[in-house]
Amino acid sequence: MPYHEPMPDRAERRQRIAFFGGSFDPPHLGHIGIARAAQTALDLDTVLFAPVGIQPLKPHGSTASYEDRVAMTELAIKGVPEFAICLVDAPNQNGVPNYTIDTLLRLRKQFPSAALFTLMGADSLLNLPHWHRGADVPFLAPLIVASRPGEHLADLATIWPAGLSIHEDTKAAQGVAEGSLRTFTLRNAAGASTEFYLLPGIEIEISATEVRQQVSAALDRLCAGHELLPDAVCHYIAAHGLYR
């Protein structure tokens, strides 16, 4: 096992908060698994689940309303003290999309002394070059990325917005066991650097699209055994007639 310096006592260090944005349409066990893995690996105090109002890269919008997605997310994370709902990405009154760069700037003002991170899946990372000011996002809040089965991040050097480069400490990498947290350094053209964290091999192959399709087909079968959704979310979907 690689050596890691012990973390300072929580009372002595800065609060560590991860922003976890997304449609959560609906929130499923894959979201919960990613958040748990990140919280454990990076000793996070809080993971903020933030349903997005309008996703810029999803022009047709979400299937469920923002209010329903917030309610389902609250149910999905209920009882986990390290998880919290966050409304920082609520719909803008002027109807413009929610951009992550703006959300992170607001969170920086809200938590000025905290160590802030951005948690996302590999699918979001692969879209980063298409984000509004995508090259600036990692420098506001270092990225924690969880890969999923079938997603290939082996060639990390080629997936970044223009001007960014990535480097891994070769000595540290030699001691990292497969499936462990890997730490890289991102640099931009101005010479600034930030850390990038990769959580490989998160074996939870669930997509929100798949969940919505199965809900539409047979809600009772979907909820049986709790294989895709938290029980409370299943009951909410059924009670409100969502995804029919």
Side-chain angles (χ1 to χ4, degrees), residues 71-191:
M72 288 189 288
T73 305
E74 287 182 311
L75 291 171
I77 66 176
K78 186 177 181 179
V80 184
E82 295 85 6
F83 296 170
I85 194 72
C86 178
L87 305 183
V88 70
D89 239 357
N92 292 310
Q93 292 185 352
N94 57 8
V96 301
N98 299 75
Y99 294 109
T100 298
I101 190 77
D102 297 329
T103 302
L104 292 176
L105 287 169
R106 288 195 293 270
L107 286 173
R108 276 265 169 238
K109 291 181 180 180
Q110 186 175 350
F111 303 103
S113 62
L116 186 63
F117 304 86
T118 301
L119 174 60
M120 65 176 65
D123 51 348
S124 295
L125 177 66
L126 295 175
N127 278 321
L128 191 65
H130 305 290
W131 287 21
H132 175 61
R133 293 180 59 189
D136 296 328
V137 168
F139 295 88
L140 276 177
L143 305 183
I144 308 169
V145 174
S147 62
R148 297 190 303 194
E151 288 171 325
H152 303 288
L153 293 177
D155 192 1
L156 284 171
T158 65
I159 64 177
W160 299 98
L164 298 188
S165 61
I166 189 168
H167 310 274
E168 184 174 18
D169 185 329
T170 54
K171 292 183 179 180
Q174 291 173 358
V176 175
E178 184 176 355
S180 299
L181 177 73
R182 296 169 64 191
T183 304
F184 301 78
T185 299
L186 274 178
R187 292 190 175 89
N188 65 16

Side-chain angles (χ1 to χ4, degrees), residues 23-27 51-54 62-75 85-87 89-92 236 240 242-243:
S23 297
F24 298 111
D25 188 25
V52 64
I54 300 177
S62 301
T63 303
S65 70
Y66 178 74
E67 291 75 16
D68 281 326
R69 291 183 287 118
V70 168
M72 288 189 288
T73 305
E74 287 182 311
L75 291 171
I85 194 72
C86 178
L87 305 183
D89 239 357
N92 292 310
Y236 185 96
H240 292 80
L242 302 181
Y243 308 120

